[in-house]
Amino acid sequence: MEWVKDARLAAGPEATWYLEAAFTPGAHLGTVYDDPTTPVVVTGIEELTTIRVPSGRLVVDAPWHDDQVWEYQRGLPTRPPRELAVRIPPGVYRVEIAWTAGPYEFMGEHVDGVECAATRLCISDDPVVGWEMGLSVEDDIARLQPGEEPRFFSDANVGCFADAGAWTTLSAPFRTFIDGIPAPRDTEQLADGCERVRDESQQADLVTFGAESGGVVWLGRTKTGDVAAIVVTSGMPDAKA
């Protein structure tokens, strides 16, 4: 049976174009701000690392939230993470970052303008035939307004993929504060300022990535409806996707 998309969740033409172009080296995603003659070009796709998701349940959220620091310091309950409603097969998956460059001049200095266009969790290499927004277990599709894009928020511009079954342990290093200041955390340092936390007791991981103002989560579906990719794009309200 072929997948039939739900119009309430389906990516529109502009978002679909962006999601496909962002992971196409050489594609132009637009032009540099205030300089319509200089394109923003996808320069490459970087494999950041791999992540273990033994539960098949995936959190895509900020690893901590500034408005809950008071609760973190006192060991009080906090709101649950943004766990996706969709389930994926338990396994180990690649985390990839799509990079763009849009050089410009600032106060007489040359700036390379390198930015993250999107971050992708690769579930399979099967072709994606359509995109839809990834709802959380708390989202109610019946209440979704036309044009609304459910998203997670991040004051620190950091997002993460994490196994939901091990979330408490995996997120703990990011949620330890002393007098309102983050405590030093013993995490594995990855490229581009990203981090990984491992829970060997559950064989599960958390991997951080840059997420401007948080992010919108998109599911890339195959013709049979299976999820082949989970992509996070900018959380800025005026972004193309």
Side-chain angles (χ1 to χ4, degrees):
M1 181 180 294
E2 290 198 1
W3 171 60
V4 178
K5 63 185 177 183
D6 188 320
R8 294 170 295 180
L9 300 178
E14 187 173 43
T16 297
W17 167 81
Y18 185 92
L19 288 161
E20 294 175 354
F23 289 91
T24 304
H28 290 195
L29 297 186
T31 58
V32 173
Y33 177 71
D34 274 354
D35 181 7
T37 65
T38 301
V40 174
V41 180
V42 179
T43 56
I45 312 303
E46 175 187 13
E47 181 175 336
L48 177 66
T49 189
T50 58
I51 182 173
R52 299 172 294 178
V53 189
S55 72
R57 297 164 48 213
L58 187 70
V59 168
V60 188
D61 199 353
W64 79 93
H65 293 281
D66 288 350
D67 64 350
Q68 296 188 94
V69 170
W70 194 86
E71 287 84 356
Y72 299 155
Q73 292 186 145
R74 291 161 178 78
L76 299 175
T78 57
R79 60 179 176 269
R82 192 174 192 274
E83 178 185 340
L84 298 187
V86 71
R87 297 292 182 260
I88 60 176
V92 180
Y93 301 108
R94 300 191 314 274
V95 179
E96 298 180 340
I97 299 176
W99 292 105
T100 61
Y104 60 93
E105 296 287 333
F106 179 71
M107 299 183 67
E109 298 290 333
H110 176 80
V111 181
D112 57 18
V114 173
E115 299 285 350
C116 169
T119 304
R120 176 169 67 183
L121 187 67
C122 301
I123 308 302
S124 79
D125 293 324
D126 294 337
V128 170
V129 301
W131 295 91
E132 66 179 22
M133 290 179 287
L135 298 181
S136 78
V137 294
E138 301 292 333
D139 290 327
D140 183 352
I141 191 173
R143 297 183 178 181
L144 194 64
Q145 300 299 311
E148 182 182 358
E149 294 178 342
R151 66 193 64 215
F152 68 89
F153 297 93
S154 174
D155 294 325
N157 297 329
V158 177
C160 72
F161 296 122
D163 183 274
W167 173 255
T168 300
T169 299
L170 294 172
S171 63
F174 302 93
R175 297 178 169 222
T176 304
F177 285 75
I178 301 173
D179 295 330
I181 305 298
R185 53 182 180 259
D186 183 18
T187 60
E188 180 183 352
Q189 301 301 301
L190 305 174
D192 311 305
C194 300
E195 299 172 71
R196 175 165 54 193
V197 179
R198 299 176 182 268
D199 180 350
E200 295 302 343
S201 68
Q202 300 190 58
Q203 296 290 293
D205 299 327
L206 177 153
V207 172
T208 70
F209 52 84
E212 186 178 12
S213 297
V216 178
V217 181
W218 299 92
L219 309 178
R221 298 275 190 181
T222 68
K223 65 179 181 180
T224 59
D226 294 327
V227 176
I230 298 174
V231 173
V232 179
T233 58
S234 174
M236 298 291 286
D238 58 348
K240 290 184 175 64

